[in-house]
Amino acid sequence: MNAYIVKKELQSIADAEKAVILGRFFKSGKGEYGEGDIFIGIKVPEQRKVARRFLDLPLPELKKLLSDPIHECRLTALMILVDNYSKSDAKIRDEIFNFYLANTGYINNWDLVDLSCEKIIGRHLYNTGSDRKILYDLAAHDYLWDQRIAVISTYWFIKNRDFNDTISLCEYFLGHSHDLIHKATGWMLREAGKRNISVLREFLDRHAAVMPRTMLRYAIEKLDDAERKKYMNAKNA
């Protein structure tokens, strides 16, 4: 069982027309955030079926799959990692956690990040009580995808009503220039608000006037009309 076999399996179900659509959707054109990414056109449910057949792929072979230029190869590798993390003992979980952190350079589009980081990085930090400084180190990297990993990883904390790191990272990214970080932070704030509305309101009361508009819109999406208007007006004040 090796990465080559997985790749051949994926190529056998590729769809050229779908590949063109995916390339546009994930902004793989010149000057876009996914510039140069290669798609072969496979729907996510089909990739999951392939991933489930190769859960025994060892980490050295997963490294080959994760470093492949084809997007679907990288996504399938991450699906395998997520499934293995959820089913493994503490020793293997440590190995997967460290492997993930060592290879974030290949986790280089938002779907790759969002599918995996909370279920490996966030889950590991929460369940083991490990030092969460790693999130702030990632946030400080001059690399968009490490920054997104930092904040989306806190989704696992949010689901366990642990909001402090989400709030700290959203504050850290208030001045960020990229739309994908605005969306990520706004999304995490909205999710925090679903579980504790006071946490969201306190953040908005402090920062709504300076939040990037996309971040603000995502954060207030589930509030009622009056509150949405209040915070949008704070932005314009």
Side-chain angles (χ1 to χ4, degrees):
M1 185 174 291
N2 56 50
Y4 175 78
I5 294 172
V6 183
K7 185 173 180 177
K8 292 292 286 184
E9 181 82 7
L10 291 169
Q11 289 173 324
S12 73
I13 55 174
D15 182 328
E17 291 185 6
K18 180 71 172 176
V20 172
I21 295 169
L22 289 173
R24 290 173 182 159
F25 183 75
F26 288 105
K27 306 297 185 184
S28 63
K30 185 173 178 59
E32 295 181 308
Y33 61 73
E35 181 176 355
D37 207 350
I38 299 169
F39 293 83
I40 57 176
I42 309 173
K43 294 179 180 179
V44 168
E46 295 304 310
Q47 289 180 72
R48 290 192 185 281
K49 290 178 184 177
V50 173
R52 283 194 291 267
R53 294 201 291 272
F54 293 95
L55 293 179
D56 292 333
L57 202 67
L59 286 180
E61 293 301 316
L62 274 171
K63 172 67 177 286
K64 295 176 185 176
L65 199 62
L66 186 60
S67 61
D68 197 278
I70 293 175
H71 187 99
E72 288 90 344
C73 288
R74 302 198 302 282
L75 185 58
T76 300
L78 291 166
M79 289 175 176
I80 294 170
L81 282 173
V82 167
D83 281 353
N84 282 340
Y85 185 93
S86 70
K87 298 172 182 176
S88 296
D89 60 23
K91 180 176 181 296
I92 300 299
R93 287 184 172 187
D94 280 340
E95 291 177 2
I96 292 172
F97 174 77
N98 291 323
F99 175 87
Y100 190 102
L101 287 175
N103 289 284
T104 60
Y106 304 117
I107 306 169
N108 56 356
N109 214 316
W110 61 263
D111 62 322
L112 305 177
V113 171
D114 296 0
L115 170 122
S116 61
C117 69
E118 131 247 344
K119 296 171 183 175
I120 295 178
I121 301 303
R123 183 176 184 176
H124 194 84
L125 293 175
Y126 184 84
N127 288 343
T128 64
S130 300
D131 190 348
R132 298 182 184 182
K133 180 179 178 293
I134 186 61
L135 298 179
Y136 298 89
D137 292 341
L138 288 166
H141 290 174
D142 187 22
Y143 182 59
L144 175 66
W145 306 113
D146 278 358
Q147 294 167 350
R148 188 168 172 109
I149 286 170
V151 69
I152 299 297
S153 290
T154 71
Y155 198 7
W156 193 271
F157 308 163
I158 291 168
K159 291 174 179 177
N160 288 279
R161 303 184 65 79
D162 179 348
F163 309 113
N164 290 341
D165 292 290
T166 302
I167 297 304
S168 294
L169 286 163
C170 288
E171 289 176 334
Y172 180 82
F173 286 130
L174 277 171
H176 203 285
S177 62
H178 204 289
D179 187 63
L180 284 174
I181 297 300
H182 302 166
K183 290 177 179 178
T185 50
W187 172 24
M188 291 302 100
L189 288 168
R190 184 178 73 231
E191 292 302 321
K194 288 179 182 178
R195 291 151 178 92
N196 187 330
I197 191 61
S198 295
V199 169
L200 174 58
R201 286 176 176 149
E202 287 169 10
F203 187 96
L204 294 170
D205 288 341
R206 292 197 308 272
H207 302 300
V210 298
M211 288 169 70
R213 186 159 294 271
T214 298
M215 180 183 183
L216 179 57
R217 287 186 183 278
Y218 270 58
I220 66 176
E221 186 178 273
K222 298 299 181 181
L223 300 181
D224 63 32
D225 290 344
E227 278 201 293
R228 287 201 305 272
K229 184 176 181 180
K230 167 189 169 182
Y231 290 119
M232 290 304 294
N233 286 342
K235 178 70 177 172
N236 296 326

